[in-house]
């Protein structure tokens, strides 16, 4: 069975992302979560912060490691001798973009197959964008992100005592 890479921005990592990583790790012997170090993404969290949150949140997934990368996903495939790209599919709204990206990656590297996994139903509406919006207004995010992320969000938006 091949190694699978799980690329994303993880700004910040949520229970939805974690659910997908757990599912992938039950299927593939090794999963590499690749945190995108892409300055064009306008992330609220730095690459170091996103890495720290992802590492702590995925610590329990023993065959999943977390790395950062600023290159193309298909180059990561080579780097980790992987042949599968994991992506999460939430709703139909994800489909167009994911479909386009999967075919583009396959054109760039014919070895690269994308495997889509669906999270538990209660996470299908969850996105990092929504979490950021709730946290910015000092809303409750305990149902959506682990404690390490809750703490970082409070610090980021200045809601710490
Ligand atoms: P990107 O900018 O690469 O889309 P994201 O961090 O937003 O990075 O997402 C990374 C992957 O995780 C994507 O495949 C996305 O569809 C998936 N994902 C994000 N949120 C969820 C969720 N709530 N449930 C399942 N998959 C999710």
């Amino acid at each position: 069975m091949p190694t699978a890479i799980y690329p994303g921005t993880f700004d910040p990592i949520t229970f939805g992302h974690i659910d997908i990583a757990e599912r992938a790790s039950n299927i593939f012997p090794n999963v590499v979560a690749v945190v995108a170090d892409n300055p064009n993404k306008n992330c609220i969290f730095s690459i170091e912060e996103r890495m720290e949150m992802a590492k702590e949140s995925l610590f329990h997934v023993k065959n999943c490691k977390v790395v950062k990368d600023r290159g193309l996903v298909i180059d990561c495939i080579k780097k980790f001798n992987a042949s599968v790209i994991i992506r999460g599919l939430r709703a139909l709204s994800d489909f167009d973009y994911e479909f386009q990206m999967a075919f583009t990656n396959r054109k760039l590297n014919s070895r690269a197959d994308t495997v889509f996994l669906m999270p538990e139903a209660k996470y299908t509406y969850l996105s990092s964008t929504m979490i950021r919006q709730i946290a910015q207004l000092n809303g409750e995010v305990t149902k959506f992100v682990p404690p390490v992320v809750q703490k970082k969000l409070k610090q980021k938006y200045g809601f710490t005592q």
Side-chain angles (χ1 to χ4, degrees):
M1 277 292 251
T3 293
I5 67 161
Y6 177 33
T9 311
F10 304 107
D11 187 37
I13 191 164
T14 70
F15 286 146
H17 289 124
I18 298 167
D19 178 293
I20 296 296
E22 288 167 349
R23 284 172 202 282
S25 74
N26 287 334
I27 303 172
F28 298 97
N30 293 299
V31 176
V32 183
V34 182
V35 183
D37 183 8
N38 180 347
N40 298 328
K41 285 269 191 181
N42 287 325
C43 294
I44 63 152
F45 289 107
S46 69
I47 181 64
E48 289 76 23
E49 289 172 317
R50 286 181 286 130
M51 283 287 288
E52 186 191 330
M53 289 185 282
K55 276 188 175 162
E56 197 164 326
S57 307
L58 295 174
F59 183 72
H60 65 288
V61 189
K62 292 300 171 210
N63 56 341
C64 177
K65 70 173 171 182
V66 180
V67 302
K68 63 178 172 178
D69 196 90
R70 50 172 59 197
L72 286 169
V73 166
I74 46 130
D75 291 333
C76 246
I77 285 266
K78 284 195 206 115
K79 201 190 275 183
F80 292 100
N81 198 21
S83 59
V84 169
I85 301 165
I86 301 289
R87 295 287 290 178
L89 257 197
R90 285 163 290 188
L92 217 52
S93 51
D94 279 341
F95 190 76
D96 259 356
Y97 174 69
E98 293 295 343
F99 190 78
Q100 197 179 355
M101 205 157 61
F103 272 106
T104 306
N105 281 329
R106 183 181 277 172
K107 269 264 182 259
L108 293 171
N109 177 348
S110 59
R111 270 190 74 207
D113 263 314
T114 304
V115 170
F116 295 103
L117 296 173
M118 291 177 299
E120 205 177 316
K122 66 181 178 192
Y123 298 137
T124 50
Y125 58 89
L126 195 55
S127 70
S128 300
T129 309
M130 204 185 288
I131 297 303
R132 293 194 302 268
Q133 285 168 354
I134 298 170
Q136 194 166 17
L137 300 171
N138 201 17
E140 181 70 50
V141 290
T142 49
K143 290 199 180 107
F144 311 127
V145 294
V148 60
V149 179
Q150 291 163 30
K151 193 169 149 217
K152 284 266 185 215
L153 282 165
K154 283 209 180 296
Q155 284 167 357
K156 185 63 69 181
Y157 292 116
F159 292 116
T160 39
Q161 304 81 0

